[in-house]
Amino acid sequence: MIPTRGRARSAAAAFTLLLASCSRPAPPPPEFSEARAWTHLTAQVGFGPRYPGDKGSRRQLLWLVDELKFRADTVIQQQFTAPGEGGRPVKLTNVLARFRPELQDRILLVAHRDTRRRADGSPEPLDRRFPTPGANVNASGVAVLVEMAQLLKEQPAPVGVDILFADGDDFRDEADFAGTRHFLAQMPGYRPRYAVVVQGVGDKLAEFPRDSLSVATAAEATARMWDAAKAADADSVFVQRTAPPMRNAGRVLAAAGIPTVVVADREYGPDNARWHAIADKPEFLSRETLGLVGRVLATAVFGEQPAAGEN
């Protein structure tokens, strides 16, 4: 029999060891490859416009599933329909990659994979008849998250991670973020720690302000993301100013009760002339910007503390 004082000392020692193990810094994340991210971006642009129902979207879907199936633990295709031009139904497909799906404690990363059928942001009215190439909006966001999938394969994160490539989120106003809404409908009760929406993250002159809706509804997660930017030496582009909320999936996720951080550039080209425009091409983008955003995401995700009893 262990004396009472001995038991107390043993318990105190065990508690000290537990505290020490909990306070150990997380191992550094794998190196985010801006070169591979750039290859992911240019591959998508090479498929052509990727608006729902077009052959470019189908090519991108095959490529995306192929890229993810040997990286993720689980890859799910969510097929659905949404109203297109003239109200005609169009087939869409979300792609969901899951890492450590057995864990309850999770983070959600989101990028829309579709592009605009009409380049309605082009300054020249005649150009608005044509589809946008979608290099920055949003091949850049997809590229960063595909490379994040590679990092999650190389080194499991402390928490579960879901990566959603949403279809139809930029599909004009007829569908109104159809992909993210369908995802939520298919995942009743889904409540990750927080979500990160990644959109337009490749501009050579990018700046990422804090989204005011993110600050209001996900203050802690937003602060951690900007702290991660400082740790990743990316605080020159993750600026401290706050900007009005963007019209993107962040609003839908926040309305569903999911704290959501929006990482998105607000000014693409002079007077924003390349946003949803035919000039949205790789020549105006930078692999270095992709690398900065990727390193920030990796620093934040791999720096999470696991839930008690889950690691």
Side-chain angles (χ1 to χ4, degrees):
M1 173 181 267
I2 301 175
T4 303
R5 289 182 181 178
R7 286 201 303 268
R9 284 197 296 269
S10 298
F15 184 65
T16 301
L17 287 173
L18 177 62
L19 287 178
S21 66
C22 291
S23 61
R24 288 173 189 160
E31 183 65 30
F32 185 94
S33 172
E34 62 187 40
R36 280 197 304 255
W38 183 258
T39 299
H40 301 326
L41 185 152
T42 55
Q44 293 174 81
V45 177
F47 299 139
R50 300 170 301 285
Y51 56 86
D54 188 67
K55 60 184 179 181
S57 177
R58 294 191 292 272
R59 291 170 178 167
Q60 181 204 38
L61 175 62
L62 293 173
W63 167 82
L64 194 53
V65 171
D66 190 55
E67 290 290 322
L68 295 171
K69 67 183 180 183
F70 70 91
R71 292 183 169 98
D73 295 314
T74 306
V75 178
I76 301 169
Q77 297 183 58
Q78 298 179 332
Q79 298 178 339
F80 60 105
T81 60
E85 287 190 329
R88 295 185 299 273
V90 177
K91 294 180 180 179
L92 301 97
T93 306
N94 289 339
V95 181
L96 176 64
R98 308 201 78 192
F99 298 83
R100 307 189 73 184
E102 73 281 2
L103 298 184
Q104 294 295 315
D105 210 17
R106 313 194 63 76
I107 293 171
L108 173 65
L109 308 178
V110 182
H112 72 78
R113 73 177 190 88
D114 58 311
T115 59
R116 287 284 177 110
R117 184 185 181 95
R118 312 286 179 194
D120 45 19
S122 295
E124 174 56 54
L126 291 177
D127 291 340
R128 298 170 193 166
R129 300 174 298 168
F130 303 103
T132 171
N136 195 34
V137 189
N138 192 31
S140 66
V142 172
V144 167
L145 296 193
V146 170
E147 183 57 20
M148 276 295 298
Q150 174 63 30
L151 270 57
L152 291 164
K153 176 192 176 187
E154 294 175 10
Q155 178 178 312
V159 296
V161 179
D162 297 315
I163 304 181
L164 173 64
F165 300 93
D167 198 5
D169 269 20
D170 207 22
F171 191 33
R172 301 181 58 179
D173 294 332
E174 293 95 335
D176 193 23
F177 312 112
T180 297
R181 293 186 187 279
H182 182 79
F183 166 77
L184 291 172
Q186 296 298 303
M187 305 279 284
Y190 178 73
R191 288 294 181 272
R193 285 186 179 183
Y194 60 88
V196 184
V197 174
V198 185
Q199 178 179 299
V201 291
D203 190 6
K204 290 179 180 178
L205 302 175
E207 272 194 353
F208 306 109
R210 298 173 188 244
D211 185 277
S212 60
L213 182 61
S214 299
V215 172
T217 63
E220 183 179 349
T222 301
R224 284 206 301 271
M225 191 65 60
W226 264 253
D227 287 344
K230 186 175 182 180
D233 294 325
D235 46 347
S236 60
V237 292
F238 279 73
V239 296
Q240 293 297 324
R241 66 181 174 86
T242 301
M246 294 189 72
R247 188 179 180 278
N248 59 27
R251 297 188 180 192
V252 177
L253 294 165
I258 297 174
T260 303
V261 181
V262 173
V263 177
D265 197 4
R266 306 305 177 94
E267 188 73 17
Y268 181 31
D271 298 320
N272 215 23
R274 298 188 189 117
W275 192 270
H276 289 155
I278 62 168
D280 184 6
K281 300 177 181 179
E283 64 195 79
F284 300 111
L285 306 184
S286 163
R287 67 188 65 199
E288 288 78 11
T289 304
L290 297 180
L292 287 172
V293 174
R295 285 193 289 275
V296 171
L297 285 179
T299 300
V301 170
F302 285 93
E304 288 290 322
Q305 290 294 318
E310 277 211 335
N311 215 29

